[in-house]
Amino acid sequence: MKLSIITVNLNNKSGLQKTIDSVITQTWKEFEWIIIDGGSTDGSKELIEKYSSYITYWVSEPDKGIYNAMNKGIKVAKGEYCLFLNSGDGLVSFDVLKKVFQKKIDADIINGNVIILDKQNRRHYGMHSDYISCYDMIKGTLCHQATFIRRCLFNQYGLYDENLKLVSDWKFFFYCIIINKCSIKYINEDIAYYNTDGISSTSLHLLKSERRKVLLEIIPAYILEDYDFNIQQSEIRKYKLSRIFYSLLYRLVCLYEKFKFSSQKDIPNN
């Protein structure tokens, strides 16, 4: 089995339907599908039962949070790679998995693009490189909706940290990519979309707090403080350069308008 798709759901029947529609229509079929439902009471369980013929394994019972549910999925998964596509997330097209796995990539982590859906627009997001630095991971992350993780990494480096509410997947990526130098391959394919209504999109303060807690476990405090100082100085320099640029641009526009006006005055009237 090449791939295990793991879907976590709790009282999100409409979102789960979108995820189901995107999975069951895939033309490439070398995957198993695992759904971990947290004991939903909104009809999600009945929806899962309706589509049970497409599902390899499912359970509906109370859990201890999203990472506990994701870990449940990992423990029963049998695929070479895992993809976490939670309720409300969806694969972008019926042949996207075929496009990914026909490339025959041999990497620990395969990373593509995710389309972020919000109230204003649609944005493509992805780390567009086969090399991801410590700086990249501190400033950003990989989106699990568009990242295929070799399942054996969870045996080597452990499951998701269930003590964290928002950044356990980021912590796992940090340990794999930065600390243990796992191989990563970027493919320029739109893999999945997700809505920004989730908890990680609405709890930015907690997200930053948890990230810093993890970093302090990994990086000595004095190095992290020095890093933060240099980042702040860099942002200040960018701000100053931006102000200088727009000031020069404004002056050029003013000069152009002045020249244009004087030229028009010099044209004789017939």
Side-chain angles (χ1 to χ4, degrees), residues 144-234:
H144 63 245
Q145 297 90 343
T147 305
F148 302 85
I149 307 166
R150 204 184 289 276
R151 183 170 55 86
C152 64
L153 297 183
F154 293 104
N155 296 326
Q156 290 177 256
Y157 307 118
L159 299 173
Y160 290 126
D161 184 347
E162 295 179 15
N163 294 314
L164 298 169
K165 294 185 180 298
L166 299 180
V167 303
S168 193
D169 49 339
W170 172 83
K171 178 182 179 180
F172 180 81
F173 287 136
F174 198 101
Y175 269 99
C176 287
I177 298 168
I178 306 303
I179 305 300
N180 294 291
K181 307 300 180 185
C182 294
S183 59
I184 182 167
K185 178 64 179 177
Y186 167 70
I187 54 174
N188 189 18
E189 294 282 355
D190 295 341
I191 307 297
Y193 61 81
Y194 86 98
N195 276 297
T196 56
D197 299 332
I199 185 171
S200 60
S201 303
T202 56
S203 305
L204 189 58
H205 178 73
L206 178 59
L207 185 145
K208 288 182 177 179
S209 174
E210 286 194 341
R211 278 197 178 193
R212 186 161 187 85
K213 177 184 175 183
V214 171
L215 288 172
L216 285 169
E217 293 174 4
I218 303 169
I219 303 172
Y222 70 92
I223 294 178
L224 195 57
E225 287 171 4
D226 181 65
Y227 176 86
D228 287 344
F229 175 77
N230 284 307
I231 290 296
Q232 289 170 7
Q233 294 302 306
S234 174

Side-chain angles (χ1 to χ4, degrees), residues 100-133:
V100 172
F101 287 100
Q102 71 183 3
K103 298 178 187 295
K104 302 187 184 302
I105 298 167
D106 184 26
D108 294 322
I109 296 170
I110 303 169
N111 174 44
N113 303 323
V114 68
I115 299 174
I116 302 173
L117 303 181
D118 59 21
K119 293 177 182 177
Q120 283 75 40
N121 53 26
R122 312 177 86 199
R123 306 192 301 276
H124 288 255
Y125 179 83
M127 289 192 176
H128 304 157
S129 175
D130 294 343
Y131 172 75
I132 295 177
S133 68

Side-chain angles (χ1 to χ4, degrees), residues 16-138:
L16 182 59
Q17 181 69 68
K18 293 176 184 177
T19 306
I20 289 171
D21 292 341
S22 78
V23 172
I24 66 176
T25 54
Q26 289 299 304
T27 56
W28 185 83
K29 302 293 185 181
E30 293 181 45
F31 65 87
E32 62 175 358
W33 191 16
I34 297 162
I35 298 183
I36 308 296
D37 180 72
S40 296
T41 57
D42 69 338
S44 292
K45 181 180 177 181
E46 290 73 20
L47 185 64
I48 295 168
E49 290 173 336
K50 177 181 176 181
Y51 290 95
S52 60
S53 61
Y54 296 95
I55 303 165
T56 311
Y57 173 92
W58 69 273
V59 66
S60 181
E61 62 186 17
D63 54 51
K64 298 175 184 177
I66 186 169
Y67 292 118
N68 176 246
M70 290 166 78
N71 285 340
K72 284 184 180 181
I74 295 167
K75 289 175 183 177
V76 299
K78 294 180 174 61
E80 182 182 352
Y81 288 91
C82 291
L83 173 68
F84 295 93
L85 196 70
N86 294 335
S87 60
D89 303 334
L91 298 166
V92 297
S93 65
F94 62 86
D95 60 348
V96 64
L97 293 182
K98 181 180 178 181
K99 288 178 181 178
V100 172
F101 287 100
Q102 71 183 3
K103 298 178 187 295
K104 302 187 184 302
I105 298 167
D106 184 26
D108 294 322
I109 296 170
I110 303 169
N111 174 44
N113 303 323
V114 68
I115 299 174
I116 302 173
L117 303 181
D118 59 21
K119 293 177 182 177
Q120 283 75 40
N121 53 26
R122 312 177 86 199
R123 306 192 301 276
H124 288 255
Y125 179 83
M127 289 192 176
H128 304 157
S129 175
D130 294 343
Y131 172 75
I132 295 177
S133 68
C134 183
Y135 174 83
D136 293 328
M137 284 303 298
I138 290 175

